[in-house]
Amino acid sequence: MYQTGVPLDIVYVLINWYGKLCAVVRWNGVHSSLFVIRSGVRQGSALSPALFNPFINVLINRLYVNGVGCWVKQIYIGCIMYADHIILLSPSLQGLQDMLNVCHCVSSELLLQFNPNKCHLVAFGPHARKTGGPLLIGSDTIHWTHSVKYLGVHIVYGRKLSFDINPIKRAFFTACNSVSSQSQCMDEILQLSLIETYCLPILTYATPAVSLKVRQLQELLSC
């Protein structure tokens, strides 16, 4: 944080604050013994994202300096990140493996660990079907898949970038059935209000950010 320009006094305050962070577990009205929290930030705290950004920005800068990944008109788009959800974009398999190697090195320096079970490879373009074998992050293997879920959006491999709306439709109908079963004795206007509040956002989530086919839009409309 000091290297990114945060005043040293503020850094000392945070070190003192987080260095004395303790917690207990409450279960069934009983409290556990006090234990010290030695890593991480407070979940839900407004300060946590601000602390996490300079910490994880080391990874993006390292990828940028190494020059691996995709570029568009001198703009680096090889690493897209939202919190700790990362997308690596590379025009070649070797480039992608180089990016994974950088991620592994940086994660070792930052005492982070990638979960290979939550990492997936997906290909787009004319040669999407000729992906070859799995890639490695450290000594762990990452396998190819036909679809991957990123921030609630299901991305499907193929010659062009496409999206799968079937999971969205299933989640929408599940939510509608749940609301319907719990609100049978309520006024219809109230039922519709509940559906609009809790079910409709499932269909409209992230739709401005994705490009759907006409048939998919019609399916969402019929839902």
Side-chain angles (χ1 to χ4, degrees), residues 22-80:
C22 301
V24 297
V25 175
R26 183 179 64 184
W27 181 77
N28 201 21
V30 179
H31 290 79
S32 71
S33 301
L34 194 71
F35 60 91
V36 179
I37 300 176
R38 301 189 182 278
S39 64
V41 293
R42 293 172 178 262
Q43 185 171 1
S45 170
L47 181 61
S48 296
L51 294 176
F52 183 74
N53 285 342
F55 176 76
I56 202 64
N57 196 53
V58 174
L59 173 61
I60 302 176
N61 285 335
R62 189 74 62 83
L63 290 168
Y64 174 81
V65 169
N66 279 267
V68 289
C70 290
W71 297 72
V72 175
K73 293 184 178 180
Q74 308 303 316
I75 299 176
Y76 183 65
I77 60 167
C79 180
I80 299 175

Side-chain angles (χ1 to χ4, degrees), residues 168-169 172 199-207 219-221 223:
I168 298 174
K169 290 163 56 181
F172 170 74
C199 305
L200 186 59
I202 297 175
L203 288 182
T204 58
Y205 177 77
T207 49
E219 291 180 12
L220 293 180
L221 287 173
C223 288

